[in-house]
Amino acid sequence: PLPLDVEAIRADFPILSRTVREGKRLVYLDSGATSQKPRSVLDAERDFYETCNAAPHRGAHQLAEEATARYEAARATIGAFIGAPAEEVVFTRNTTEAINLVAYALSNAATAKEEQFRRYAVGQGDEIVVTEMEHHANLVPWQQLCERTGATLRWLGLTDDGRLDLSDLATVVNERTKLVAVTQQSNILGTINPLEDIAARAREVGALLLVDGAQSVPHQPVDVTTLGADFLVFSGHKMLGPTGVGVLWGRYEVLDALPPFLTGGSMIEVVRMEGSTFMPPPQRFEAGVPMTAQVIGLAAAVEYLQQLGMDRVQAHEEALTGYALAKLAEIPGVRVIGPPDTVARGGAVSFTVEGIHPHDVGQVLDDLGVEVRVGHHCAWPVVRRYGVPATTRATFYVHTGYDDIDALADAVREAQRFFGVAQGEVS
Ligand code: PMP
């Protein structure tokens, strides 16, 4: 049996009771793109709007007070989930915006008139290090930062079996490195990266470390007190929460030394026509009326996950991943792109089917109610590295069961039959 009670969990997700493609059971294997939402999250958002909707941190009326209290309580809940105090939690729109926030703060630091904001300035001669398996969200903002500042982008490559190649870690991360940005779990390969080694090297050379937790925080226990990072970023919508809210966690001392990214209301201390001063973190990085309902919804998602237990969520997905890898290995012509076993690997399984373009695979799967992602998964350098045009990717979550993976394997065989590429009779 699986660690989680899949039937009971499915009953919490209203969308899972609908059918697709003329009466077929919805086999949702695309949680890596965005997750479905349990009723408690939907209720939390609705309850906020129905009972205390107001702009937090403004106005002296009762609704504003209640909205502020709920918003700040949610910040504490979400912080505790990753082992962080509330004042180190900054709300953004998503992972992408959180990374852009850091990248812009680092380039703004170079021209800041305030001495306190210049500490982490990036400029000519400095280096930023990423890896070849980054999602575009953790690559393009760094390319752009380098273009703005004259810094140089370097990267760690990949091994043939989908892992980070750390053989040149000591030269790629060096005294010129200002920041290392790396994903904790690859959205396309499923690989879980050895952050301890990278964190140790970053610390040795005095570089900041940003961890992209978009695919790890939803799926395994993550604790910033042992992570060894300066920043951790993730998206609410991938962890059972609403769209429109993401998190930037930063070590307070580092956040406090950074200038703002977006500016305007709610983040200022004093404003004069001649210039303005800014609030301390986290308010310094939260300009404008925040996504209050979404933050409250995300806190409900965190509570839902905590009730299941992140250790069990991880064990559940590991069991599913092992099952999926074995099932796909039984099908001739299927090639998994990424680690071949469950060692340091999460629940994202990418594959190709010999003789059928991934988009055609996706089409047949969709006709059968099996919803997967096809394409380059916003990690174009990865598909290029492995010499494929695209992959078909199945991702798992708390409501995924063995039946979903059986449906996937059956659908892949159906695609082979449909396109006439079945290699011998399959068992
Ligand atoms: N990083 C990784 C590893 C991801 O999987 C994703 C989402 N696919 C992102 C960053 C970007 O997340 P968002 O689109 O929510 O900003």
Side-chain angles (χ1 to χ4, degrees), residues 407-419:
L408 170 70
D410 290 346
V412 170
R413 290 181 198 271
E414 182 56 34
Q416 288 182 320
R417 274 191 291 274
F418 185 83
F419 287 100

Side-chain angles (χ1 to χ4, degrees), residues 32 94-96 135 137 183 185 187 212 214-215 235 237-238:
N94 48 28
T95 301
T96 304
H135 187 280
T183 191
Q185 180 181 316
N187 66 311
D212 177 352
Q215 297 291 347
S235 293
H237 70 92
K238 290 183 198 284

Side-chain angles (χ1 to χ4, degrees), residues 2 52 71 75 113 143 145 173 180 206 219 240 245 253-255 301 375 389 399:
L2 284 162
C52 66
Y71 180 70
R75 193 195 301 279
K113 63 180 193 317
Q143 292 174 335
L145 167 67
V173 178
V180 180
H219 303 289
L240 312 181
V245 55
E253 178 206 21
V254 179
L255 286 179
H399 48 70

Side-chain angles (χ1 to χ4, degrees), residues 40-54 56 63-75 77-78 91 240-245 290-304:
S40 63
V41 169
L42 307 175
D43 288 348
E45 273 201 77
R46 167 173 283 275
D47 181 67
F48 170 74
Y49 286 126
E50 287 184 348
T51 63
C52 66
N53 178 49
L63 290 189
E65 267 170 32
E66 288 178 14
T68 304
R70 288 225 217 165
Y71 180 70
E72 292 304 328
R75 193 195 301 279
T77 300
I78 294 159
F91 292 117
L240 312 181
T243 49
V245 55
M291 54 302 264
T292 320
Q294 289 80 354
V295 164
I296 288 164
L298 178 55
V302 159
E303 280 160 5
Y304 188 90

Side-chain angles (χ1 to χ4, degrees), residues 3-43:
L4 296 176
D5 182 349
V6 169
E7 285 313 315
I9 290 172
R10 282 179 187 168
D12 292 336
F13 289 72
I15 205 169
L16 294 180
S17 61
R18 68 161 285 178
T19 57
V20 290
R21 300 291 172 219
E22 289 161 15
K24 300 207 178 54
R25 181 173 86 83
L26 168 59
V27 177
Y28 189 74
L29 293 173
D30 201 16
S31 297
T34 200
S35 64
Q36 299 302 347
K37 323 303 175 196
R39 200 171 281 106
S40 63
V41 169
L42 307 175
D43 288 348

